[in-house]
Amino acid sequence: GTFLGLHRDGGFLAHDYDLDVGIHGEPIDVNRLVDTLAAHPKFVTKKVDLHIEITQDESGLLHLEKVPALVKLIHENGLNLDVFIHYTESGRCWHGSIIHRWENSPFELVRTELEGVAVNAPADADRYLTENYGDWRTPVKEFDCTTGTPNLVVSRNFLSVALFLKRLAVFSESDGKQAAK
């Protein structure tokens, strides 16, 4: 949402309630980052989401993999900050939460300015925003990250699968458009 506002509206979205930041996880010690953010005196850590995936090795053994994916912070001034940790896997860049996984094509970063602050942003803004929002040029006032993103992939864990099956069952009876999403 922060990048959408920057690219489409030239600043923050008027109706957005948080600031989204992405950090590539491979070149850093992610656990140290989480600990550093939690210890910062100006922030309260609201939540640390581990992305959980069930994988299977060559011998058929199942494994539970957990990686830090999202740190939700609240600044002392009340600002909500979501720090998404991006990973690369099978030629895709992804970020997520305990139940979500959003996948993107790999992207390069360029320096730009947001409200007077230098920030990094995806170089191919149109591709990145299209992957995340579809028709990103048309403003949407009520956005649901569970149904409003074409790049959402159901995570390979029981909680995520159960949530999306429940949504499908409920909406199949009442709202075909939501069920299709």
Side-chain angles (χ1 to χ4, degrees), residues 99-103 131 145-147 149-154 164:
I99 58 172
H100 300 100
R101 178 177 168 129
W102 297 282
E103 293 188 355
E131 287 178 355
C145 68
T146 301
T147 58
T149 57
N151 63 337
L152 179 69
V153 176
V154 177
F164 285 99

Side-chain angles (χ1 to χ4, degrees), residues 34-59:
V34 171
D35 291 344
T36 300
L37 292 172
H40 197 285
K42 293 190 180 280
F43 289 98
V44 172
T45 302
K46 183 176 169 184
K47 182 180 184 181
V48 176
D49 260 2
L50 298 176
H51 186 76
I52 301 170
E53 297 257 341
I54 298 169
T55 60
Q56 191 171 25
D57 65 22
E58 304 82 35
S59 65

Side-chain angles (χ1 to χ4, degrees), residues 27-101:
I28 63 170
D29 179 339
V30 174
N31 291 315
R32 183 172 171 214
L33 169 69
V34 171
D35 291 344
T36 300
L37 292 172
H40 197 285
K42 293 190 180 280
F43 289 98
V44 172
T45 302
K46 183 176 169 184
K47 182 180 184 181
V48 176
D49 260 2
L50 298 176
H51 186 76
I52 301 170
E53 297 257 341
I54 298 169
T55 60
Q56 191 171 25
D57 65 22
E58 304 82 35
S59 65
L61 209 64
L62 295 176
H63 300 275
L64 196 62
E65 294 184 13
K66 300 176 183 180
V67 296
L70 170 62
V71 182
K72 292 181 144 308
L73 303 167
I74 302 172
H75 190 268
E76 65 183 9
N77 67 9
L79 174 76
N80 287 277
L81 176 68
D82 289 347
V83 180
F84 289 96
I85 302 166
H86 292 244
Y87 296 95
T88 303
E89 180 183 304
S90 302
R92 303 286 291 164
C93 178
W94 71 270
H95 64 285
S97 68
I98 194 165
I99 58 172
H100 300 100
R101 178 177 168 129

Side-chain angles (χ1 to χ4, degrees), residues 94-114:
W94 71 270
H95 64 285
S97 68
I98 194 165
I99 58 172
H100 300 100
R101 178 177 168 129
W102 297 282
E103 293 188 355
N104 289 91
S105 303
F107 55 90
E108 298 295 322
L109 297 172
V110 294
R111 284 303 259 184
T112 189
E113 193 173 292
L114 174 63

